[in-house]
Amino acid sequence: MRKIIRVLIAGLLLFSGCKPQELSLIKNLGSRVRVSTTDGFVYAELAREEEQIFISDEKRYAWYEKGQINSSQGDYSGKLLHGPYVAYYATNKQLKEKGSYAYGLKKGKWLLWQADGQLKETQQWRRGQKNGKTIMYDSLGREKQKIKYHNGVVVERKKGSGLFTRLKRIFKGKKAGIDKKPRTEKKPAKGKETPKPAVK
């Protein structure tokens, strides 16, 4: 009985000496998971309390159950991902994907990398839908394509606009036998006369 009382007193003294930050870490125990996948591993945080959330049939939810991270459209079963999400390649421990979830839905800026560490894509998410610019990069890290989304729908699509991309398009056209025609003066429409220069 004395041992139990001593342990309780020691525990009470330990927790009473903790700073608020340390108490929040103790409170969050069990809400962070590490999951091994076929091509790497993931660190993710889970929603602590099961709050009642409105489920949308169009949105894809990420959730954790029985040591696996799953995703499904329109519903979930398990604990929703909520907070930072970081995935790594198994072969070289390079970053693969980094972003954040809010109750199972992707939010904010997401970054995706190739296995060699080169940036592959940047995305903007809002409430589980792409919203804003998504930029794709080639294997050398140059901008390849830019797509603008609004609530998951493509609004605008642009190919890379860098000097290298423009030169590549020009040379591709010449190799295919397509030469750009030189600019000529516009001919006036029928019935309209062109003004003649005044003679001095």
Side-chain angles (χ1 to χ4, degrees):
M1 184 68 173
R2 286 185 178 180
K3 282 186 179 181
I4 294 173
I5 293 173
R6 286 181 191 164
V7 170
L8 289 173
I9 291 173
L12 183 61
L13 291 173
L14 177 71
F15 287 120
S16 66
C18 288
K19 297 175 188 168
Q21 298 91 352
E22 293 167 343
L23 289 174
S24 70
L25 290 174
I26 292 169
K27 185 178 170 186
N28 287 336
L29 283 176
S31 67
R32 179 175 248 177
V33 294
R34 181 187 191 270
V35 178
S36 294
T37 62
T38 55
D39 60 343
F41 54 96
V42 173
Y43 289 102
E45 289 194 19
L46 308 175
R48 280 180 277 133
E49 296 115 24
E50 287 298 324
E51 290 186 27
Q52 197 68 15
I53 63 166
F54 176 74
I55 301 295
S56 171
D57 292 338
E58 292 88 38
K59 295 184 180 176
R60 191 158 199 84
Y61 294 87
W63 44 279
Y64 173 84
E65 188 176 52
K66 296 181 183 174
Q68 290 186 336
I69 293 177
N70 304 292
S71 70
S72 55
Q73 184 174 341
D75 208 351
Y76 66 95
S77 174
K79 285 194 164 198
L80 290 170
L81 299 188
H82 184 71
Y85 174 94
V86 183
Y88 297 90
Y89 286 100
T91 53
N92 56 5
K93 312 286 189 285
Q94 287 279 0
L95 279 169
K96 180 180 181 182
E97 189 174 15
K98 185 176 184 179
S100 186
Y101 280 96
Y103 296 103
L105 300 174
K106 286 185 174 184
K107 72 168 190 166
K109 187 174 185 176
W110 279 71
L111 301 167
L112 291 82
W113 289 270
Q114 299 173 18
D116 64 358
Q118 191 68 44
L119 188 61
K120 179 175 155 182
E121 193 171 326
T122 60
Q123 306 170 340
Q124 291 292 329
W125 290 80
R126 184 171 174 258
R127 296 183 185 153
Q129 295 179 323
K130 284 187 178 178
N131 203 27
K133 291 180 186 174
T134 292
I135 303 171
M136 290 170 250
Y137 302 91
D138 64 14
S139 60
L140 298 173
R142 295 181 299 241
E143 190 177 298
K144 184 170 70 173
Q145 188 174 20
K146 193 183 292 184
I147 302 172
K148 190 172 182 181
Y149 289 89
H150 182 70
N151 293 331
V153 178
V154 175
V155 176
E156 184 180 347
R157 188 182 301 259
K158 290 182 183 178
K159 293 270 186 187
S161 59
L163 177 63
F164 181 77
T165 307
R166 284 184 270 152
L167 289 173
K168 192 173 169 183
R169 282 192 212 132
I170 291 168
F171 287 120
K172 232 182 200 178
K174 286 185 179 179
K175 283 182 184 176
I178 304 168
D179 288 328
K180 289 191 174 186
K181 296 179 183 177
R183 292 186 178 192
T184 57
E185 293 182 26
K186 292 183 180 179
K187 294 181 181 178
K190 285 187 177 180
K192 292 186 179 178
E193 293 184 26
T194 58
K196 295 184 181 177
V199 179
K200 289 184 182 180

